[in-house]
Amino acid sequence: MIRQTSVKPAPAAPSPPLVVIVDDDPAVRESLDSLIRSVGLATRLFGAPAELLQGSLPDVPGCIILDVRLPGISGLDFQDQLARQGIALPIVFMTGHGDIPMTVRAMKAGAVDFLAKPFRDQEMLDAVTAAIERDRQRRGATAALDDLRSAHATLTTREREVMTHVVAGLMNKQVAGVLGLSEITVKIHRGNVMRKMGVRTLADLVRMAEALDVPKP
Amino acid sequence: MIRQTSVKPAPAAPSPPLVVIVDDDPAVRESLDSLIRSVGLATRLFGAPAELLQGSLPDVPGCIILDVRLPGISGLDFQDQLARQGIALPIVFMTGHGDIPMTVRAMKAGAVDFLAKPFRDQEMLDAVTAAIERDRQRRGATAALDDLRSAHATLTTREREVMTHVVAGLMNKQVAGVLGLSEITVKIHRGNVMRKMGVRTLADLVRMAEALDVPKP
DNA sequence: GTCGCTCACAAACCTAGGTATGAGCCCGAC
DNA sequence: GTCGGGCTCATACCTAGGTTTGTGAGCGAC
């Protein structure tokens, strides 16, 4: 896979993963902060969900540690809200007054773990490690897909139409028939598609189309 | 997608989904049985996990309702055991003495739901409906994949090698070079692959290879 | 042994894919 | 207006893909 990365200021030092801690109790925040920092991870502390939504987060792998009981909003509702806003950071819940339905709801909504207080330090660290790993996976997949999407965005309307039919398995003359073009024109568009998408073989183009979920004609 | 179905005795009447109920309390079994039957679903009752493992289950969509506390084995351990044995029926847990760690473990292991007793009838029916739908999806995906696998299994070793390189995007002459063959031989193998896999275009073959996870050369 | 399958290769032939050169049309931006 | 981009098409030429027919070697099963 060719990563078509955009121009960046070249971050020399790779930042450590970031753990966002959301809890209304300062003592809990501080305690988690030192625990997380002790294993070399960066932290960001918030006393309320709203604070998190305002500031933007750095572009590094990470996760969120979220108390279920928060000022103004349930942690579970906040989970939904984050999802709706496209913030896909994995969430580790913790709670002092949890029950089974809460746990089920959180896990169904994609939480990595759900820890009842009191929990052992190691439990939290394991959950955070798993969450960060999940985020790393997701970021990798997203980055590769973004490159594909931006390449696909450079195609003209016609080129996209031709690509759609080509990856569906139609021959050039068939594409020409469907689109009301001559075969030579289809060939030219097809060549442009291959060049712009940065592939040399039809097989690669088909795989790209699959990843992009190019609509069937 | 061409379904290459194997020869079957043509089941005229589509069987209803099957709900397997595992609980050591006969009263609970009976109660669930009548609830599930009341919505037109078939049931199979077991008092202990071992009974389930002996008999074979019919080939219809379904799910398992499993008590966490079972004679001889934890429902959670039994969940693992089923997974190891390749029994992928979705599981709805119920428990009278559940806690959060149990819930988390069950959900992480893929349970559809985890209901604390007492639960309302409708909760159980909703969970069962969701579980059956999940099984239906899984069965559909599995059936399509099985057809692909059986087609792929009819290929000779050489044909598989050629297919691998062809879907990787190599030209016939390049495949010939890699495998130490002449180009004409590659063309013949390639034609056999297309015929045996039941596709007419390279695009389709690439998609099949993706679904089959054909190893990169 | 011989039958069937796999594998390999060749000659001949046809279709499909790909590129270069050149040219005309439309349309929106500067 | 004209300049560029997108779209269209033609001729010409070359490469790649695909099938058919025919040949022959190796090998395991019956």
Side-chain angles (χ1 to χ4, degrees), chain A residues 56-211:
Chain A
S56 70
L57 294 172
D59 187 31
V60 298
C63 70
I64 301 178
I65 300 176
L66 195 58
D67 195 345
V68 173
R69 181 174 299 182
L70 289 170
I73 184 176
S74 147
L76 298 172
D77 290 339
F78 187 54
Q79 180 184 28
D80 293 343
Q81 198 175 324
L82 287 173
R84 277 198 302 275
Q85 294 191 12
I87 299 177
L89 279 179
I91 297 176
V92 175
F93 277 102
M94 55 185 177
T95 177
H97 308 81
D99 58 22
I100 289 179
M102 274 184 201
T103 311
V104 170
R105 175 176 164 190
M107 297 301 285
K108 277 187 182 174
V112 174
D113 216 325
F114 195 99
L115 302 177
K117 294 178 188 171
F119 46 81
R120 280 175 291 119
D121 283 357
Q122 193 55 47
E123 286 183 277
M124 177 56 84
L125 291 178
D126 288 347
V128 164
T129 302
I132 288 172
E133 179 54 29
R134 187 189 285 190
D135 194 42
R136 232 187 276 274
Q137 297 289 338
R138 185 191 61 79
R139 297 176 77 85
T142 303
L145 205 53
D146 281 353
D147 287 352
L148 287 192
R149 269 197 260 269
S150 62
H152 191 246
T154 68
L155 300 181
T156 67
T157 306
R158 261 294 192 244
E159 286 162 356
R160 255 189 291 275
E161 288 173 339
V162 170
M163 173 171 169
T164 300
H165 290 94
V166 165
V167 298
L170 273 65
M171 292 184 305
N172 287 339
K173 70 170 72 167
Q174 293 175 310
V175 177
V178 172
L179 297 181
L181 303 174
S182 75
E183 188 182 348
I184 186 67
T185 305
V186 172
K187 285 185 179 182
I188 292 170
H189 286 313
R190 182 174 182 155
N192 290 339
V193 169
M194 299 296 279
R195 190 173 40 76
K196 288 185 178 179
M197 295 299 287
V199 294
R200 278 173 36 264
T201 70
L202 176 59
D204 290 337
L205 190 67
V206 171
R207 270 184 284 270
M208 278 196 174
E210 285 291 285

Side-chain angles (χ1 to χ4, degrees), chain B residues 156 158 181-182 184-185 188-189:
Chain B
T156 68
R158 261 294 191 242
L181 303 174
S182 74
I184 185 69
T185 305
I188 292 171
H189 287 313

Side-chain angles (χ1 to χ4, degrees), chain B:
Chain B
M1 172 79 61
I2 298 172
R3 277 292 310 271
Q4 185 96 350
T5 48
S6 39
V7 184
K8 284 174 189 171
S15 313
L18 176 68
V19 178
V20 175
I21 298 168
V22 185
D23 195 302
D24 60 336
D25 182 341
V28 172
R29 285 205 298 276
E30 292 304 322
S31 158
L32 277 173
D33 183 48
S34 68
L35 171 66
I36 301 298
R37 283 180 186 277
S38 76
V39 293
L41 299 172
T43 56
R44 270 294 251 286
L45 309 184
F46 296 101
E51 303 172 23
L52 200 169
L53 292 175
Q54 282 158 16
S56 69
L57 295 171
D59 187 31
V60 297
C63 70
I64 301 177
I65 299 175
L66 195 57
D67 196 344
V68 174
R69 181 175 300 182
L70 290 170
I73 183 175
S74 147
L76 298 172
D77 290 339
F78 186 54
Q79 180 184 28
D80 293 343
Q81 198 175 323
L82 288 172
R84 278 197 301 275
Q85 295 192 10
I87 299 178
L89 280 178
I91 297 175
V92 175
F93 278 103
M94 55 184 178
T95 178
H97 307 81
D99 58 20
I100 289 179
M102 275 186 202
T103 311
V104 171
R105 174 175 164 190
M107 297 300 286
K108 276 186 183 175
V112 173
D113 216 325
F114 195 100
L115 302 177
K117 294 177 189 172
F119 47 80
R120 281 174 290 121
D121 284 356
Q122 193 55 47
E123 285 184 278
M124 177 57 83
L125 291 178
D126 289 347
V128 164
T129 303
I132 289 172
E133 179 54 27
R134 186 189 287 191
D135 194 41
R136 231 187 276 273
Q137 297 289 337
R138 184 191 61 79
R139 298 176 76 85
T142 303
L145 206 52
D146 282 352
D147 287 352
L148 287 192
R149 271 196 259 268
S150 61
H152 191 245
T154 68
L155 300 182
T156 68
T157 306
R158 261 294 191 242
E159 285 162 358
R160 254 189 292 276
E161 289 173 340
V162 170
M163 173 172 168
T164 300
H165 289 94
V166 165
V167 299
L170 272 67
M171 292 184 304
N172 287 341
K173 69 170 74 167
Q174 293 175 308
V175 178
V178 172
L179 297 181
L181 303 174
S182 74
E183 187 182 348
I184 185 69
T185 305
V186 172
K187 284 185 179 182
I188 292 171
H189 287 313
R190 181 173 182 155
N192 290 338
V193 169
M194 300 296 278
R195 190 174 40 76
K196 287 185 178 178
M197 296 299 288
V199 294
R200 279 173 34 264
T201 69
L202 176 59
D204 289 337
L205 190 68
V206 170
R207 270 183 283 269
M208 278 197 175
E210 286 291 286
L212 285 168
D213 200 20
V214 166
K216 317 282 176 279

